[in-house]
Amino acid sequence: MRIRIVGAGAMGRGIAQWAAVAGHTVELCDVRTEAVTAAVDFVRSMLERAVQKGRMSAGDSAAALDRLVPLDDPWAYGPEVELVIEAVREDLDTKAEVFGKLEQALPDSAVFATNTSSLSVTRIAASLRDPGRLAGLHFFNPVPLMKIVEVVPGAATRPGIPPVLTALVESCGHRAVTVADSPGFLVNHAGRGLVTEALALLEESVADPAGIDRIARDVLGLRMGPFELMDLTGLDVTAAVIDSIWQGFRHEDRLRPSFLTPNRVTAGLHGRKTGQGWFAYGQDAPAPAPEPPVTGDADRPVFVADGEYAQDAAALRAALTAAGATVEDGARPSGTALVLVPVWGTTVAASVAAPGLPAARTFGVDPLPPAGRRRVLAVTPAADPSAARDARAVLARAADGEQPWAVSVVRDTAGSVAQRLLASVVSVGTSIAERSLATPADIDLAVTTGLGYPAGPLAWGDRIGAARMLELQRSLHATTGDPRHRPTRWLTERAQLGLPLTEPGVSPADCA
């Protein structure tokens, strides 16, 4: 296939490398000739590096470079061009102007694709004489390494075009997902669940950014915590995406932005690129503060209250007993015992009030199965600090031959940190499925490939169980009163019907 790529910036040159290596002839052009020259030099350096590392032969590298054709005039007549991929700046008028000129220069059979990440594909296509020839083809940076591409048909896109684009993407070694022309498309939309809830937890002073990141990594198994991720992406970029998607979905509560970001963006606290974000960067940046050492009495007796789920309490009792802790039996704690309550979508304070537990020495424990060796201890404003240190020491105990547990101490909140982060990820994922913006399989594929999560939001919810996820979200909603936590219909129906969240289900069209 002969492909013309308009725009030789970071995305354009990455797409050019990807397509040329896959065997396609690529015309690379830009209104700035020097940008094309720099892009070709960059691709050459990437291919040379691949040869040096043994990932590509010298012959294949040379052949790929031969297929990369610098073009002086983006609007040159191109009767053999079959596909155009536009990768210019994110501005509707600019993109419309580019496609308008290409429509004059290229045959009617050429398919047009925009690499927009945030603009409406339908609105871009509307400026064309034939809007049916254009679709979105959204790559991620760096293109050769991020092996996921979103295929986005606009409202007028001809039905035959998305399958052609999907086949092209997959023949070049990437995975393609189809998503409706909607704010944020799929990956950026799904990614809002983690960062918006992390910001909400910070707003409520549940934990600091480093503490939330530790829990995200060690309990949920994420490669990066949400605040590390925001610093890597740039808070200016992240905040703009959050606002754009929230506004695009008409102020949907579960996508609600935080009041924390505007001032930080204005102050230039963007993250790695400015040297200071949620964390400090650079040679002179102070080292991250270590976690406080465990200093309490690990031999203090503990009483595990049943909480909402008896099985959670039983599992905690068994784990502490195996670690050699003194776990009390009976219906009530002794006068000196620590009281540990597994909380699922509720608060420790509610557990203290209902059965009349001793407020100063009652603490919450997150029963969510951790990906690493970290437990989370929740403390209320009534907690005795000495008792909290002892509870942390007890939870840090490990069975013979095992590594001690790391224990995060957080402020009491409904569901604790990991549950709220997971509930939000699943909630946003199920809302995408509920709106039929993408298939369940594509949602999970896009999130695992594009965001690097250990599981897609629907499959992750199935690991916990649809019924238990529904209980979590109902408890969060009832406890906080915040509509951001309300369960989606997708989750509610599947929990009630005993279906997995990954199940598309039967539609009325199937029964016609």
Side-chain angles (χ1 to χ4, degrees):
M1 179 179 286
R2 192 174 190 90
I3 302 171
R4 180 175 295 186
I5 298 173
V6 182
M11 293 304 298
R13 68 193 185 190
I15 300 168
Q17 178 184 333
W18 167 80
V21 168
H24 299 285
T25 300
V26 178
E27 298 178 354
L28 181 60
C29 53
D30 195 289
V31 292
R32 296 178 301 115
T33 304
E34 65 272 19
V36 178
T37 302
V40 172
D41 290 342
F42 176 83
V43 172
R44 180 180 294 107
S45 69
M46 291 296 100
L47 297 181
E48 289 174 351
R49 182 182 302 179
V51 172
Q52 292 167 3
K53 293 187 175 182
R55 296 198 300 262
M56 175 181 282
S57 71
D60 287 343
S61 172
L65 281 172
D66 285 344
R67 290 189 290 269
L68 184 57
V69 181
L71 203 63
D72 293 333
D73 181 8
W75 328 123
Y77 179 58
E80 297 178 349
V81 173
E82 299 170 74
L83 171 67
V84 174
I85 303 176
E86 165 272 311
V88 303
R89 67 189 182 95
E90 283 289 273
D91 177 76
L92 182 63
D93 292 338
T94 300
K95 291 180 185 292
E97 180 182 358
V98 165
F99 282 117
K101 291 180 177 179
L102 289 169
E103 201 170 28
Q104 302 294 326
L106 300 179
D108 292 344
S109 58
V111 173
F112 288 175
T114 173
N115 184 53
T116 183
S117 60
S118 61
L119 300 173
S120 165
V121 172
T122 301
R123 293 187 66 189
I124 295 170
S127 62
L128 296 174
R129 292 195 310 269
D130 177 12
R133 70 192 300 187
L134 185 143
L137 198 59
H138 180 212
F139 294 81
F140 294 85
N141 194 31
V143 174
L145 299 181
M146 294 294 288
K147 296 184 178 296
I148 189 74
V149 183
E150 295 176 329
V151 177
V152 189
T157 302
R158 285 193 286 276
I161 288 179
V164 169
L165 295 177
T166 296
L168 168 68
V169 168
E170 297 192 341
S171 70
C172 294
H174 279 29
R175 304 294 300 274
V177 293
T178 302
V179 57
D181 185 15
S182 55
F185 303 145
L186 181 45
V187 173
N188 283 332
H189 185 176
R192 296 318 94 204
L194 178 69
V195 294
T196 54
E197 195 61 36
L199 289 165
L201 288 162
L202 185 62
E203 282 185 8
E204 299 167 28
S205 301
V206 174
D208 64 11
I212 294 171
D213 278 358
R214 290 187 194 106
I215 293 170
R217 291 191 305 266
D218 297 345
V219 178
L220 296 181
L222 295 167
R223 296 177 190 172
M224 298 183 71
F227 293 96
E228 293 175 295
L229 181 61
M230 283 186 271
D231 273 358
L232 178 64
T233 305
L235 187 62
D236 54 334
V237 175
T238 299
V241 172
I242 291 173
D243 288 347
S244 172
I245 295 175
W246 178 64
Q247 291 164 6
F249 281 103
R250 299 296 188 262
H251 299 176
E252 163 64 52
D253 287 304
R254 70 183 86 250
L255 301 171
R256 189 170 66 239
S258 170
F259 74 84
L260 295 173
T261 56
N263 282 350
R264 297 185 68 88
V265 170
T266 300
L269 303 176
H270 298 171
R272 290 178 182 270
K273 61 187 177 184
T274 59
Q276 180 69 51
W278 302 108
F279 308 106
Y281 301 90
Q283 292 183 343
D284 299 327
E291 289 189 82
V294 176
T295 59
D297 179 8
D299 294 320
R300 185 165 174 177
V302 295
F303 174 85
V304 180
D306 280 344
E308 293 293 318
Y309 291 93
Q311 66 267 33
D312 292 335
L316 181 58
R317 286 190 198 100
L320 294 177
T321 300
T326 303
V327 181
E328 293 186 348
D329 293 324
R332 299 287 300 174
S334 67
T336 59
L338 302 167
V339 181
L340 301 180
V341 184
V343 290
W344 189 253
T346 58
T347 61
V348 183
S351 299
V352 167
L357 296 173
R361 48 194 172 94
T362 297
F363 306 94
V365 179
D366 189 347
L368 193 67
R373 293 192 63 78
R374 180 174 296 277
R375 289 173 172 149
V376 181
L377 182 75
V379 300
T380 71
D384 173 6
S386 176
R389 288 190 288 270
D390 292 346
R392 185 167 181 248
V394 170
L395 285 177
R397 297 182 66 131
D400 290 343
E402 294 183 347
Q403 291 292 321
W405 289 83
V407 182
S408 295
V409 181
V410 302
R411 181 179 181 178
D412 183 29
T413 185
S416 198
V417 173
Q419 290 174 34
R420 280 183 52 176
L421 292 176
L422 178 57
S424 184
V425 168
V426 173
S427 182
V428 172
T430 56
S431 73
I432 294 172
E434 183 175 288
R435 290 184 168 100
S436 299
L437 302 182
T439 66
D442 277 357
I443 294 168
D444 281 352
L445 173 62
V447 169
T448 53
T449 309
L451 299 176
Y453 290 6
L458 307 181
W460 208 343
D462 282 338
R463 286 184 183 180
I464 305 301
R468 189 153 201 213
M469 284 303 308
L470 179 59
E471 285 299 321
L472 172 60
Q473 294 192 2
R474 281 177 170 169
S475 293
L476 290 172
H477 192 200
T479 303
T480 65
D482 190 336
R484 73 187 294 119
H485 299 301
R486 74 190 187 283
T488 61
R489 177 170 52 84
W490 188 274
L491 172 61
T492 303
E493 286 182 340
R494 277 152 183 75
Q496 292 169 337
L497 296 171
L499 294 174
L501 299 180
T502 51
E503 173 60 52
V506 175
S507 71
D510 297 325
C511 305

